[in-house]
């Protein structure tokens, strides 16, 4: 009896491992917290030097932005984090962000993810989860 239950336990453990391998969370695919840190640390200097959007980041607390963005990406990727930032609509209110600005940020994010060696499939998975934020970032 004992033997059967340990065989069952091992089988269950293997099955859940296989399930995880077949369906990794986006958090895992991004390389966990170190992977997300790398993406954001690569992204922020790009935003600050991109002529299309760098003016938006003049005088902004980039250290805070870096921490909040890492938390937020971790959360949308189903990682073990808590977003401690402000409401997205409130923080972007009055910044006059256009579709062109939004697209520029997405391109810079894609470049940052390319530099981390992430596949287009993984990149698209993250972008799809950020896309609904468009309505809070680009306001009429
Ligand atoms: C999906 C796209 C975007 C995401 C996920 C995002 C996320 C964030 C987050 C998490 C914060 C920090 C909130 C806090 O401090 O509590 C923030 C702030 C900010 N974002 Fe965005 N953002 C996006 C698009 C943009 C775009 C396109 C621009 C301008 C080109 C922009 C400009 C800013 C600025 C200037 C701040 C700082 C505001 C302040 O500290 O007063 N964001 N964003």
């Amino acid at each position: 009896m004992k033997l059967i239950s340990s065989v069952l336990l091992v089988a269950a453990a293997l099955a859940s491992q296989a399930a995880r391998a077949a369906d990794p969370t986006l958090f895992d695919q991004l390389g966990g917290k170190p992977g997300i840190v790398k993406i954001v640390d690569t992204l922020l200097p790009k935003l600050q030097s991109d002529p299309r959007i760098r003016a938006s980041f003049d005088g902004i607390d980039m250290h805070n932005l870096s921490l909040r963005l890492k938390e937020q990406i971790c959360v949308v990727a189903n990682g073990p984090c808590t977003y401690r930032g402000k409401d997205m609509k409130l923080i972007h209110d009055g910044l006059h962000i256009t579709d062109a600005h939004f697209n520029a940020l997405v391109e810079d994010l894609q470049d940052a993810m390319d530099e981390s060696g992430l596949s287009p499939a993984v990149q698209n998975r993250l972008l799809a989860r950020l896309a609904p934020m468009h309505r809070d970032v680009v306001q009429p």
Side-chain angles (χ1 to χ4, degrees), residues 77-100:
N78 299 120
C81 304
T82 304
Y83 175 62
R84 299 185 193 283
K86 298 198 179 108
D87 173 77
M88 287 289 281
K89 196 173 169 63
L90 281 181
I91 196 84
H92 294 97
D93 186 32
L95 294 181
H96 308 294
I97 299 171
T98 62
D99 275 334

Side-chain angles (χ1 to χ4, degrees), residues 43-60 62 65 69 95-109 111 137-138:
L43 171 66
L44 291 194
K46 288 186 191 299
L47 300 183
Q48 288 180 289
S49 60
D50 184 335
R52 298 171 295 179
I53 51 176
R54 66 180 171 216
S56 298
F57 298 96
D58 276 354
I60 293 299
M62 296 306 280
L65 180 56
L69 213 45
L95 294 181
H96 308 294
I97 299 171
T98 62
D99 275 334
H101 294 139
F102 190 89
N103 294 339
L105 181 139
V106 168
E107 275 177 34
D108 292 339
L109 176 57
D111 287 347
V137 171
V138 179

